Amino acid sequence: MSGRPKIRLYVDHPLGKGQSVPVSRDHANYLFNVMRLGVGAEVALFNGKDGEWRAEVAQAGKRGGVLVCGAQSGAQVNPPDLWLLFAPIKKARTDFIVEKAAEMGASRILPVQTDFTNSDRIRQDRLQAHAIEAAEQCGGTFVPDVAALRPLAQVLEEWDAERALVFADEALAHSEAGSTLRADAPAPAAILIGPEGGFSDAERSRLRGLPFVVPIPLGPRILRADTAAVAALTLWQMAQGDWG
Ligand code: SAH
């Protein structure tokens, strides 16, 4: 068969030439009911570590099936060592942040609870599923891990000082400071984006006092948290990441 398979799926299973991959119930519904694929049809598979493989439907059932890997169709490509820390906001915007971070090439996504965070819980499994879906549709072979929600203070206590924390500080929006990410983005790094209420004064002074923290402005306007996340990821990727 020629051409790229239209369907790309993430599977939590080893991939390699001749490898059989069992089809989960959800995937069986999608592949064989919704998309109406039959035996012999081709899909592309990736598992986050073995690259992308073409696989043929060997068995198709209502609740399961089997795919068999043929040739490798893409090498494993891991993103640069860039994490995104963000304070969860409203559901749809939180989903957006996770989806965009996966597309933009964040290697880990860490929801953090800040002083003005409005939600005290997240659906980690649902957010992880969003990251998987984003990788499936953007052609990525890597899926960023979405961590459990933790208090920012605790994350800072355990921080590895080798990793710069690029702190998107809305208080710098009105200052003369230019973006330090333009020419000189630190790596490895993590970007920190606050909630709709921004950071508290206490958080801001604690963050500014930490040696690994690099406060940055994101222009003269106050961006919504989801916009700020994409903007900061873009800046870092441009200066230091895999866009060059
Ligand atoms: N309510 C706050 C703004 C919060 S915006 C206020 O009015 O000040 C949400 C988050 O996006 C901020 O915490 C910050 O991390 C980021 N952000 C938005 N605009 C920014 C800017 N111009 N510079 C730096 N960070 C910004």
Side-chain angles (χ1 to χ4, degrees):
M1 241 193 232
S2 61
R4 279 178 91 85
K6 286 199 181 63
I7 298 175
R8 293 184 85 238
L9 290 179
Y10 168 85
V11 290
D12 184 12
H13 198 275
L15 299 175
K17 196 161 176 53
Q19 175 78 52
S20 298
V21 180
V23 179
S24 70
R25 205 183 166 114
D26 283 354
H27 278 168
N29 181 49
Y30 173 67
L31 293 175
F32 312 136
N33 271 334
V34 180
M35 301 307 288
R36 308 231 153 256
L37 297 192
V39 169
E42 272 204 326
V43 297
L45 299 180
F46 66 103
N47 63 3
K49 44 184 185 284
D50 296 325
E52 185 191 90
W53 291 78
R54 284 182 177 228
E56 203 174 280
V57 177
Q59 281 174 43
K62 277 204 166 62
R63 288 178 202 85
V66 177
L67 304 170
V68 176
C69 291
Q72 188 170 29
S73 46
Q76 178 62 32
V77 180
N78 294 327
D81 193 353
L82 175 65
W83 299 356
L84 176 69
L85 274 66
F86 76 99
I89 43 179
K90 287 196 199 97
K91 184 170 155 294
R93 288 181 186 274
T94 298
D95 292 352
F96 179 94
I97 289 178
V98 169
E99 180 184 295
K100 297 312 159 205
E103 287 177 46
M104 299 287 300
S107 63
R108 248 188 114 195
I109 301 172
L110 296 94
V112 291
Q113 229 168 343
T114 62
D115 289 347
F116 299 150
T117 300
N118 353 47
S119 59
D120 54 4
R121 66 170 74 172
I122 54 158
R123 285 279 310 274
Q124 193 183 355
D125 55 340
R126 223 174 46 99
L127 292 180
Q128 187 66 66
H130 276 292
I132 289 172
E133 254 178 60
E136 285 174 341
Q137 69 79 36
C138 77
T141 46
F142 179 88
V143 178
D145 180 56
V146 181
L149 180 66
R150 289 171 66 212
L152 175 63
Q154 195 187 339
V155 173
L156 292 177
E157 258 160 45
E158 292 164 18
W159 198 261
D160 168 9
E162 296 289 299
R163 179 179 301 276
L165 182 59
V166 176
F167 162 40
D169 183 357
E170 69 272 7
L172 295 178
H174 308 290
S175 75
E176 295 292 303
S179 174
T180 37
L181 287 191
R182 196 170 296 153
D184 184 23
I191 287 166
L192 171 63
I193 302 292
E196 269 150 32
F199 290 95
S200 69
D201 290 341
E203 278 171 335
R204 180 166 294 109
S205 53
R206 162 131 205 244
L207 282 162
R208 286 182 177 178
L210 293 168
F212 49 82
V213 169
V214 181
I216 59 154
L218 293 170
R221 290 163 295 275
I222 300 290
L223 309 175
R224 298 194 78 131
D226 46 352
T227 316
V230 176
L233 288 163
T234 308
L235 284 173
W236 192 92
Q237 283 285 45
M238 193 73 199
Q240 183 63 262
D242 60 10
W243 288 20

